[in-house]
Amino acid sequence: MTEKRSEEFRLREGLGIAGFVITLVGAGAVLVFVLGAWKAFVRNTAPTVLDLPGGPWTFGILCGLISVFGVFSGHRLLMAGPYAEARIPRVARSAATAVCWGGALASLSYVLGSLPGRNCPSYRACAYIPGTGSALIAYAGTTAVVGWLVHRVSNTRVEKRRALERERVRKMRKKGKGKSRAAARRG
């Protein structure tokens, strides 16, 4: 009886491992296909996008702003609200967070994807696209400057809120409505 259970367990375990490996290989193939399709999309559309009014500098700045505010908004959405809320608002907030971070990642990968590849044969359409270097510089500068500014402003707001809370607690203690440190330690 125990030998039969042991054989069933080994069979089930082997099928589970085989299923995991097949799933992993399939996910890898899908990932390679999606990345290749994205690279082809970027290489085909980048010349048109970089020739729009304003040129590559404007495009790089726009992508930098999308990245910074996408990451900032995604982080705020992730940290907002209680975790014990209803399922629909929680799912909506998770979807909005994914959209924000996805937009930030897509703009970065579009700028990087427009650059020529290293091991690219000359007969393929992967030569240098004029303006990609300028777009990359504008993207990097925008994300650095605007990201630093957003970080500073958000930290200033947090510090201001903390100072107001400390002042409120201090006033309550002064009036005798707040617990002293000794009373707070006792329970």
Side-chain angles (χ1 to χ4, degrees):
M1 188 75 163
T2 41
E3 291 176 16
K4 186 176 180 181
R5 283 187 181 173
S6 177
E7 289 175 19
E8 288 176 5
F9 182 72
R10 275 191 249 147
L11 179 65
R12 197 176 297 150
E13 198 173 61
L15 288 175
I17 291 172
F20 177 74
V21 169
I22 290 171
T23 303
L24 197 61
V25 169
V30 168
L31 181 68
V32 167
F33 176 74
V34 167
L35 290 177
W38 177 256
K39 181 78 171 177
F41 169 75
V42 169
R43 296 299 293 173
N44 289 330
T45 60
T48 306
V49 170
L50 293 174
D51 281 341
L52 291 175
W57 291 99
T58 305
F59 178 71
I61 290 170
L62 181 66
C63 284
L65 290 173
I66 290 171
S67 287
V68 168
F69 290 116
V71 167
F72 179 70
S73 300
H75 180 69
R76 287 202 47 162
L77 283 169
L78 185 67
M79 297 301 165
Y83 288 105
E85 64 184 12
R87 174 176 248 174
I88 292 176
R90 189 174 58 228
V91 168
R93 191 175 66 223
S94 297
T97 302
V99 166
C100 289
W101 284 347
L105 183 63
S107 65
L108 170 64
S109 63
Y110 194 92
V111 171
L112 292 178
S114 64
L115 297 171
R118 286 190 306 190
N119 300 322
C120 189
S122 60
Y123 60 86
R124 296 198 53 206
C126 54
Y128 177 74
I129 299 170
T132 55
S134 304
L136 181 64
I137 290 170
Y139 176 85
T142 302
T143 54
V145 171
V146 176
W148 179 76
L149 286 173
V150 167
H151 176 70
R152 292 293 300 164
V153 167
S154 64
N155 276 354
T156 303
R157 286 180 180 172
V158 167
E159 286 300 319
K160 188 175 181 181
R161 255 187 254 122
R162 287 180 184 164
L164 289 172
E165 180 64 20
R166 282 193 303 267
E167 183 66 24
R168 185 185 69 78
V169 169
R170 188 185 66 76
K171 284 181 182 178
M172 285 177 62
R173 282 193 184 134
K174 203 172 194 181
K175 291 180 181 178
K177 295 182 180 180
K179 287 185 176 181
S180 68
R181 289 184 183 153
R185 271 188 249 128
R186 285 186 294 236

